[in-house]
Amino acid sequence: MALTVGVIGAGQLARMMIPAAVNLGIELKVLAEADGMSAELAAVSVGDYRDLPTVLAFAKTVDVLTFDHEHVPQEILRELVREGIIVHPGPDALLYAQDKLLMREKLAELGLPIPDWARITDAAGLADFLQAHGGRAVVKTARGGYDGKGVRVVSHEHDVDDWFLALAEDGNDGALLVEELVHFSRELAQVVARRPNGEIAVWPVVETVQKDGVCAEVIAPAPQSAGRLADVATDIAVAVAVGIGVTGVLAVELFQTTDERLLINELAMRPHNSGHWSIDGSTTSQFEQHLRAVLDLPLGATGARDPWTVMVNIFGGPASGSLGDRYAGAFAQHPLVKVHNYGKASRPGRKVGHVTVGGDDLDEVAYQARATAQLFQDTAPINE
Amino acid sequence: MALTVGVIGAGQLARMMIPAAVNLGIELKVLAEADGMSAELAAVSVGDYRDLPTVLAFAKTVDVLTFDHEHVPQEILRELVREGIIVHPGPDALLYAQDKLLMREKLAELGLPIPDWARITDAAGLADFLQAHGGRAVVKTARGGYDGKGVRVVSHEHDVDDWFLALAEDGNDGALLVEELVHFSRELAQVVARRPNGEIAVWPVVETVQKDGVCAEVIAPAPQSAGRLADVATDIAVAVAVGIGVTGVLAVELFQTTDERLLINELAMRPHNSGHWSIDGSTTSQFEQHLRAVLDLPLGATGARDPWTVMVNIFGGPASGSLGDRYAGAFAQHPLVKVHNYGKASRPGRKVGHVTVGGDDLDEVAYQARATAQLFQDTAPINE
């Protein structure tokens, strides 16, 4: 009998689980928010992930439930567990992916390296934090932010009055997270996978290049990361996975500060953009590993297949010319490049695909990846 | 607008096109012989590929039509072309995959190296051939054979009287193919892809190990194949692709004779078991390449990703224990191995999956692949 994994959400992360599921003969079922989503090739039900009967009916058709995103409400997750549904990651872990304030509290409790932070509920609190941190800081909404949304760099106590007002109107005793503006030389990400039985697999630490708060490019492994830097990144991510009890794939975004510390920036408890390189670049992709982990099967080897792998996101999609014309041009110039097209409608700034190239020479690999991605987008170049 | 490829047939070859199609955002539609076939995850219509209206209606929903098998009748293929359907490979090429006698005639006309052969219609003809070839020969039905079926080693003129009788009853002036029993040291396969515009891509020549007339194992590249041997294999396969006008993937099975000639054994005008290693072992898999070729898109790089890749077929499928138990055992022992499960019902001797391992040490890679495949089957070991 086939193993069956249910995925809540049908975006590109669910979509990229399909090849891994097809290879392994795992049945993948997806609960999509709407018709025509990225993962629609899998067996799709359409329904609201905030509606318990919908999610429960879906969950009862699968062996294990997992996620394309972290937005399923806690009360639904907990009711699923009460009903005997196997859910990975579980609600206790997902809580920290859903609420940045709880995440910071938990990471502080675990003694893990994080930026200075505070919970603030009004301009006076922000003023105090700014005063103590050189007059600038980052304010984040505790919930609902992603890809740079819900994040604001501030230098004045009234810079997020609109958010305070919204919290007050909500009346849920909400608060904002304020963090020191970290001086970093670069951003890294450490992706790991953890099974319910405790087994952990660790990919090489990668460098992530952001543009406008969104991941634009990933270099695997991160240049100059051999030795202790990689060990520290691994230790941090494993400590998070174990300390929070994450099951499945966990991505830990890290700042490498100008004074050479690694500080945790964000967590994602699912396959993550910083791990897309692993589809073509590692023996086991993060998508196959996630399926293995949530099914509590032994994890696969996570070594890199080439000395260097570079992944570049495609934004905004093919806006002029047919997809066939784009492919004709890109494939003719770059026969080594692997192209991933999420089948999503194009909107400026939206991630609609990525490309990956592996090889021995980082400059060459990065050039090919960047040049190919460029051929699929009409927006301004990623690397101006 | 998505590019759409239609596949006639829904076996494992169509199934293994799905991951490539998902990655590239190509829509794959499959005309299946029945419900519950291996490739059912793709958008499936069920219908008879021998029925023109069924095939034509299906073909009109896609940009290009291709095949999981070579059994679509010529009269249907030719009518599709008359109706303006783009068909790759086309009927003129497929003819030679459908009829071994025509194939031998064509290869002889092209001056390509093949075993001695003759067209025979009765026991007297077979007697003559046996007389001239040391008393033993191989007789093949011209049509319908695969995986060792329709092939018989004979030493007596009456050893295929049943086939002669069947041909006489058909009344179609049919004949059998008789070939010399080639003394070969090993079997090789050269897989290539060719676009309608003429571009050709060539994977490394591989060694194939047969058991009971069925491919059991593939080693890529074939040991001791560097240099002239690889060049000759490439030259033969390219000459076949060009001479016959093949579009898409072409596999040329070769004998390496004890006197060091390469002779063409069989042709397959589709992705082939001898190319499955390329999914995990080459930059471009034969399935992605086939989609690119039939869409007349530039072909991808075909280099091997590791010094050695070994693919071992799984026969008979998980016959005892759950799939989850099999995976638990196999993954725990062999974290480097890539497992491919075709989702087919298990029958003794039926190919239900394969495993692939890549690495630097052939003995180690072969051991891991064989040992893992063994864990998925209850039948006798492949390498006794």
Side-chain angles (χ1 to χ4, degrees):
Chain A
M1 211 183 62
L3 300 165
T4 306
V5 174
V7 186
I8 307 278
Q12 64 258 34
L13 301 180
R15 178 189 181 98
M16 285 186 270
M17 292 178 200
I18 296 173
V22 168
N23 287 345
L24 292 175
I26 291 169
E27 191 177 352
L28 200 67
K29 293 186 178 180
V30 169
L31 182 64
E33 298 86 324
D35 281 322
M37 299 280 296
S38 188
E40 67 179 353
L41 186 60
V44 167
S45 316
V46 174
D48 186 350
Y49 61 79
R50 295 160 302 188
D51 179 62
L52 179 61
T54 298
V55 179
L56 190 57
F58 174 74
K60 285 186 170 168
T61 70
V62 302
D63 295 320
V64 57
L65 197 68
T66 188
F67 309 94
D68 169 85
H69 59 68
E70 293 137 340
H71 308 319
V72 178
Q74 278 286 321
E75 56 272 23
I76 290 192
L77 295 172
R78 292 183 188 280
E79 188 57 32
L80 292 171
V81 172
R82 266 191 296 272
E83 291 277 348
I85 305 297
I86 301 175
V87 180
H88 292 300
D92 291 347
L94 271 173
L95 185 60
Y96 303 108
Q98 294 176 330
D99 189 307
K100 290 191 167 88
L101 272 168
L102 292 174
M103 186 261 283
R104 285 292 182 234
E105 282 166 14
K106 182 70 177 179
L107 296 178
E109 178 193 318
L110 290 169
L112 289 165
I114 54 177
D116 279 348
W117 66 282
R119 173 190 162 96
I120 54 173
T121 53
D122 56 24
L126 178 54
D128 289 347
F129 193 91
L130 285 168
Q131 172 78 18
H133 292 86
R136 296 186 74 200
V138 183
V139 179
K140 299 178 178 178
T141 56
R143 291 169 169 270
Y146 66 95
D147 274 357
K149 294 175 184 65
V151 176
R152 201 175 288 172
V153 175
V154 302
S155 54
H156 191 281
E157 63 188 271
H158 292 296
D159 279 353
V160 290
D161 278 354
D162 52 333
W163 287 352
F164 287 130
L165 187 63
L167 287 175
E169 283 171 357
D170 278 354
N172 290 324
D173 294 325
L176 298 176
L177 169 67
V178 60
E179 293 179 343
E180 65 171 318
L181 200 66
V182 173
H183 296 282
F184 57 87
S185 54
R186 59 176 177 170
E187 293 183 73
L188 304 174
Q190 178 64 64
V191 182
V192 302
R194 183 172 173 273
R195 284 173 70 186
N197 86 340
E199 187 194 359
I200 290 180
V202 181
W203 283 273
V205 66
V206 300
E207 179 171 341
T208 63
V209 181
Q210 319 288 320
K211 185 179 157 72
D212 301 331
V214 181
C215 176
E217 182 175 316
V218 171
I219 304 169
Q224 288 99 45
S225 70
R228 192 63 201 144
L229 179 65
D231 292 345
V232 172
T234 296
D235 290 348
I236 290 171
V238 168
V240 171
V242 173
I244 291 183
V246 179
T247 43
V249 166
L250 164 73
V252 179
E253 296 183 83
L254 298 161
F255 295 119
Q256 182 172 358
T257 65
T258 50
D259 57 354
E260 299 300 1
R261 292 173 300 151
L262 293 188
L263 300 180
I264 298 171
N265 179 15
E266 301 285 352
L267 306 180
M269 291 177 201
R270 48 171 171 74
H272 184 256
N273 202 163
S274 61
H276 290 358
W277 71 276
S278 64
I279 300 173
D280 302 299
S282 173
T283 301
T284 308
S285 81
Q286 64 169 349
F287 297 100
E288 174 175 340
Q289 200 80 294
H290 188 74
L291 294 176
R292 288 163 74 148
V294 302
L295 286 164
D296 205 9
L297 290 170
L299 303 178
T302 48
R305 302 203 63 183
D306 289 294
W308 297 107
T309 306
V310 172
M311 190 262 2
V312 178
N313 282 329
I314 301 171
F315 293 95
S320 70
S322 71
L323 181 62
D325 292 343
R326 298 290 178 127
Y327 275 139
F331 288 160
Q333 290 179 55
H334 302 290
L336 282 169
V337 178
K338 306 314 296 175
V339 178
H340 296 259
N341 172 351
Y342 306 154
K344 292 163 69 172
S346 178
R347 284 202 305 264
R350 189 182 204 200
K351 291 177 192 167
V352 296
H354 73 267
V355 302
T356 308
V357 194
D360 296 333
D361 181 323
L362 176 54
D363 289 342
E364 178 60 21
V365 162
Y367 163 73
Q368 290 188 27
R370 291 168 190 159
T372 307
Q374 208 50 57
L375 294 173
F376 287 93
Q377 59 200 17
D378 292 325
T379 50
I382 291 175
N383 297 287
E384 292 161 306
Chain B
M1 212 182 62
L3 299 165
T4 306
V5 174
V7 186
I8 306 280
Q12 64 258 35
L13 301 179
R15 179 190 180 96
M16 286 186 269
M17 292 179 199
I18 297 173
V22 168
N23 287 344
L24 293 175
I26 291 170
E27 191 176 354
L28 201 67
K29 293 186 177 178
V30 169
L31 183 64
E33 298 85 324
D35 280 322
M37 299 279 296
S38 188
E40 69 180 351
L41 186 61
V44 167
S45 315
V46 174
D48 186 349
Y49 61 79
R50 295 161 301 190
D51 179 62
L52 178 63
T54 298
V55 179
L56 190 57
F58 174 75
K60 286 187 168 166
T61 69
V62 303
D63 295 320
V64 57
L65 197 67
T66 189
F67 308 93
D68 169 86
H69 59 69
E70 293 139 338
H71 309 319
V72 178
Q74 278 287 322
E75 57 273 22
I76 290 193
L77 295 172
R78 291 182 189 279
E79 188 58 33
L80 292 171
V81 171
R82 266 191 295 273
E83 290 278 348
I85 305 297
I86 301 174
V87 180
H88 292 299
D92 291 344
L94 272 172
L95 186 59
Y96 303 108
Q98 293 176 332
D99 190 306
K100 290 189 167 87
L101 272 168
L102 292 175
M103 186 260 283
R104 285 293 181 231
E105 283 166 15
K106 182 71 178 179
L107 295 178
E109 177 193 318
L110 291 168
L112 289 166
I114 54 178
D116 279 348
W117 66 283
R119 172 190 164 96
I120 54 172
T121 52
D122 55 26
L126 178 53
D128 290 346
F129 194 89
L130 285 169
Q131 171 78 18
H133 291 86
R136 295 186 75 201
V138 183
V139 179
K140 299 178 178 179
T141 56
R143 292 170 168 267
Y146 66 95
D147 274 358
K149 295 175 183 65
V151 176
R152 199 176 290 173
V153 176
V154 302
S155 53
H156 191 281
E157 65 189 87
H158 292 297
D159 278 353
V160 290
D161 278 354
D162 53 332
W163 287 352
F164 286 130
L165 187 65
L167 287 176
E169 284 172 355
D170 277 356
N172 289 324
D173 294 325
L176 298 176
L177 170 66
V178 60
E179 293 179 342
E180 65 170 320
L181 201 64
V182 174
H183 297 281
F184 57 88
S185 54
R186 59 175 179 171
E187 292 182 74
L188 304 173
Q190 178 64 64
V191 183
V192 303
R194 183 172 173 273
R195 285 173 69 185
N197 87 340
E199 187 194 359
I200 289 180
V202 180
W203 283 272
V205 65
V206 300
E207 178 172 341
T208 64
V209 181
Q210 319 288 319
K211 185 178 157 73
D212 301 331
V214 181
C215 176
E217 182 175 317
V218 171
I219 303 170
Q224 287 98 44
S225 71
R228 191 64 201 144
L229 179 65
D231 292 344
V232 172
T234 296
D235 290 348
I236 291 172
V238 168
V240 171
V242 173
I244 292 183
V246 179
T247 42
V249 166
L250 165 73
V252 179
E253 296 183 81
L254 298 162
F255 295 119
Q256 183 173 357
T257 65
T258 50
D259 57 354
E260 301 298 3
R261 292 173 299 151
L262 293 188
L263 300 181
I264 298 172
N265 179 16
E266 302 285 352
L267 306 179
M269 291 177 201
R270 48 170 171 75
H272 184 257
N273 202 162
S274 60
H276 290 358
W277 71 277
S278 64
I279 301 172
D280 302 299
S282 174
T283 302
T284 308
S285 80
Q286 64 170 348
F287 298 99
E288 174 175 341
Q289 201 81 293
H290 188 73
L291 295 176
R292 287 162 74 148
V294 302
L295 286 164
D296 205 8
L297 291 170
L299 303 178
T302 47
R305 302 203 63 183
D306 289 295
W308 297 107
T309 305
V310 172
M311 189 261 4
V312 178
N313 281 331
I314 301 171
F315 293 96
S320 69
S322 71
L323 182 62
D325 291 343
R326 298 288 178 127
Y327 275 139
F331 287 160
Q333 290 180 54
H334 301 289
L336 282 170
V337 178
K338 306 315 296 175
V339 179
H340 296 258
N341 171 350
Y342 306 154
K344 292 162 69 173
S346 179
R347 285 202 306 263
R350 189 181 204 201
K351 291 177 192 168
V352 296
H354 73 268
V355 302
T356 309
V357 194
D360 296 333
D361 181 325
L362 176 55
D363 288 342
E364 177 61 22
V365 162
Y367 163 71
Q368 290 188 29
R370 292 169 190 159
T372 306
Q374 209 49 58
L375 294 173
F376 286 92
Q377 60 200 19
D378 291 324
T379 50
I382 291 175
N383 296 287
E384 292 159 307

